[in-house]
Amino acid sequence: MTDKFPIEQVIQTLKDDLPTLFEKDISYDIYTQNIYFQDPVNKFKYKFNYRIIFWTLRFHAKLFFTQIAFDVHEVYQAAEDTIIAKWTVRGVLRVPWQAKIFFNGYSTYKLNANNLIYEHIDTWDRKPGEILRQFVQKGDK
């Protein structure tokens, strides 16, 4: 694509897509083919793999949770080539003791000259092991 995306459109697409990422697919028009993604447990490159991670999130959300939400608190331009999205994941695990999952994080999106996202780095407020430990706690904690 040679046309430059307006940054407002990229921000609006993120605002529209992120809250429902556990329910339906996102729009991939705002990402480059060689998008790089990293979070505390995954690291990969290319749009095909990026699509798979979102499919996997939806699949596991339906399989393992009775309730799951991705609450977006804000999405804003932090620098000329950077967008930040602050969010919370919360849910109830599909187990008899109704364990709850809850963690905060933020996504840093880097933009190329055409305002397409070429890098997406997620930062969580706790380690993956701490999040997994929530699965064995009773839901009232």
Side-chain angles (χ1 to χ4, degrees):
M1 178 175 180
T2 55
D3 293 336
K4 187 170 182 170
F5 258 85
I7 198 158
E8 298 78 19
Q9 184 179 345
V10 177
I11 291 170
Q12 190 58 54
T13 300
L14 290 169
K15 285 180 177 179
D16 293 343
D17 283 353
L18 295 177
T20 58
L21 67 80
F22 288 123
E23 298 147 37
K24 64 181 186 173
D25 210 1
I26 65 168
S27 168
Y28 296 97
D29 297 342
I30 61 172
Y31 303 93
T32 63
Q33 271 311 118
N34 63 345
I35 173 84
Y36 173 77
F37 174 82
Q38 181 179 328
D39 70 13
V41 294
N42 299 291
K43 186 186 298 189
F44 57 80
K45 197 169 182 174
Y46 302 114
K47 198 183 281 192
F48 178 78
N49 296 321
Y50 199 65
R51 292 177 83 105
I52 288 173
I53 198 78
F54 283 99
W55 178 88
T56 303
L57 284 170
R58 288 190 308 281
F59 177 78
H60 286 125
K62 287 179 177 62
L63 188 64
F64 294 117
F65 293 88
T66 58
Q67 299 169 31
I68 186 93
F70 192 88
D71 299 324
V72 178
H73 307 298
E74 59 180 328
V75 180
Y76 62 93
Q77 184 176 358
E80 186 178 340
D81 67 342
T82 307
I83 295 172
I84 303 287
K86 294 183 179 180
W87 44 263
T88 300
V89 172
R90 58 185 174 81
V92 179
L93 205 59
R94 196 180 297 279
V95 291
W97 57 92
Q98 296 185 323
K100 292 185 176 164
I101 184 173
F102 181 94
F103 66 99
N104 296 299
Y106 63 91
S107 301
T108 304
Y109 300 96
K110 289 295 209 171
L111 306 169
N112 68 12
N114 290 328
N115 286 340
L116 291 174
I117 297 169
Y118 70 87
E119 183 180 270
H120 171 180
I121 308 287
D122 277 353
T123 304
W124 302 350
D125 70 347
R126 58 197 79 180
K127 293 183 171 99
E130 293 175 46
I131 295 168
L132 283 175
R133 277 194 288 283
Q134 294 177 15
F135 290 9
V136 295
Q137 295 173 342
K138 286 195 181 256
D140 55 7
K141 289 191 178 189

